[in-house]
């Protein structure tokens, strides 16, 4: 069974530029999460989708971050414009249902210069 | 609100020695508890989880953890460390709200010395 796929794996941008990350969850997984993991910290939830609807985006900085999950499968996370403090690893995870084991992708490491 | 505290951001053990990584949680309701491992440049992999039932939980790679409600702890142990165990370990608790979200601790970096 294929795991959670993410791309790109690495991205370096200048501050104030835009960037987008892509996630393809495990087939059949209805719930999808985006996490931000700053160096030396645990992952912090940004947004949670159930199928193509948002369950919780209370920790998403909506002035610069946006996310969508069209057709309830793939998802994209966008940052516009990026700030230095956005440098982190962005992890995508999926699960069959709320409270079940989450399967994580390898992450996208973003460096903002 | 749920929270997790991992004592010790860095732990070093010798190969063959006991591994003990500490995790304490706060929860107003019975929690679901997890340990994840993260190898360099990889995502998180589930080691083990406690939901209900037996309080001693066995996971992959010889790890186990014991849920102690009276101590609000869920420490991770392995009798004999292997070089391949070197990684970052995260304890996590699942929220009691309808969204059932994971809250992670800040992680413990495990170094295994030859």
């Amino acid at each position: 069974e294929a795991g959670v796929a993410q791309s790109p794996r690495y991205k370096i941008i200048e501050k104030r530029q835009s960037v987008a990350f892509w996630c393809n969850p495990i087939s059949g997984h209805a719930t999808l999460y985006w996490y931000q993991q700053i160096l030396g910290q645990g992952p912090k939830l940004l947004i949670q989708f159930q199928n193509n609807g948002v369950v919780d985006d209370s920790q998403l900085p909506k002035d610069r971050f946006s996310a969508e999950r069209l057709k309830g499968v793939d998802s994209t996370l966008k940052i516009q414009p990026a700030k230095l403090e956005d440098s982190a690893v962005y992890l995508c995870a999926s699960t069959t249902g709320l409270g079940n084991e989450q399967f994580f992708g390898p992450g996208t490491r973003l460096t903002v210069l | 609100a749920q929270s997790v505290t991992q004592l010790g951001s860095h732990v070093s053990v010798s190969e063959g020695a006991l591994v003990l990584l500490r995790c304490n949680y706060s929860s107003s309701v019975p929690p679901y508890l997890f340990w994840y491992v993260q190898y360099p440049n990889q995502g998180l992999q589930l080691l083990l989880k406690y939901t209900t039932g037996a309080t001693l939980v066995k996971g992959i790679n010889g790890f186990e953890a014991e849920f102690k409600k009276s101590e609000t702890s869920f420490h991770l142990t392995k009798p004999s460390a292997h070089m391949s165990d070197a990684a970052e370990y995260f304890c996590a608790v699942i929220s009691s709200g309808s969204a059932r979200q994971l809250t992670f601790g800040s992680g413990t970096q495990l170094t295994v010395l030859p």
Side-chain angles (χ1 to χ4, degrees):
Chain A
E1 178 182 82
V4 177
Q6 291 188 247
S7 68
R9 291 295 312 277
Y10 305 90
K11 189 74 176 179
I12 300 174
I13 62 173
E14 304 266 339
K15 61 183 178 183
R16 291 187 290 274
Q17 285 187 322
S18 302
V19 66
F21 313 128
W22 173 81
C23 172
N24 180 238
I26 293 173
S27 177
H29 281 197
T31 309
L32 184 148
Y33 307 82
W34 283 101
Y35 292 88
Q36 180 191 58
Q37 186 179 16
I38 292 172
L39 186 64
Q41 299 181 20
K44 184 188 81 170
L45 180 69
L46 291 175
I47 189 167
Q48 177 183 354
F49 291 94
Q50 179 73 11
N51 296 310
N52 61 350
V54 175
V55 175
D56 184 0
D57 64 357
S58 59
Q59 299 186 78
L60 187 73
K62 298 181 189 63
D63 58 333
R64 297 184 300 107
F65 286 65
S66 64
E68 61 182 6
R69 190 182 185 197
L70 298 176
K71 301 181 181 179
V73 182
D74 293 4
S75 178
T76 56
L77 176 69
K78 297 179 181 178
I79 308 175
Q80 179 180 8
K83 292 185 176 181
L84 296 176
E85 58 260 36
D86 298 332
S87 293
V89 175
Y90 291 84
L91 294 165
C92 179
S94 69
T95 183
T96 53
L98 299 178
N100 294 340
E101 177 185 348
Q102 294 184 26
F103 294 83
F104 285 80
T108 297
R109 183 177 297 276
L110 173 67
T111 302
V112 182
L113 303 176
Chain B
Q2 315 276 333
S3 68
V4 175
T5 301
Q6 292 185 241
L7 298 175
S9 57
H10 291 84
V11 170
S12 293
V13 300
S14 298
E15 191 172 20
L18 172 72
V19 176
L20 171 60
L21 304 183
R22 300 179 186 274
C23 172
N24 288 88
Y25 68 90
S26 68
S27 173
S28 58
V29 297
Y32 288 4
L33 294 159
F34 303 78
W35 275 100
Y36 281 86
V37 61
Q38 187 176 34
Y39 298 101
N41 300 315
Q42 295 187 27
L44 280 72
Q45 179 183 8
L46 182 66
L47 274 179
L48 49 81
K49 65 179 179 181
Y50 168 80
T51 53
T52 59
T55 56
L56 182 63
V57 180
K58 295 186 184 299
I60 62 172
N61 302 337
F63 284 93
E64 62 182 36
E66 186 171 11
F67 170 60
K68 292 187 176 180
K69 183 179 178 180
S70 61
E71 299 176 10
T72 61
S73 69
F74 191 57
H75 301 331
L76 181 71
T77 61
K78 182 175 180 177
S80 176
H82 191 273
M83 298 296 289
S84 61
D85 295 326
E88 187 145 27
Y89 293 79
F90 292 93
C91 183
V93 62
I94 210 158
S95 69
S96 57
S98 60
R100 310 289 280 174
Q101 295 165 355
L102 277 172
T103 299
F104 287 89
S106 56
T108 297
Q109 181 69 45
L110 176 66
T111 300
V112 181
L113 305 171

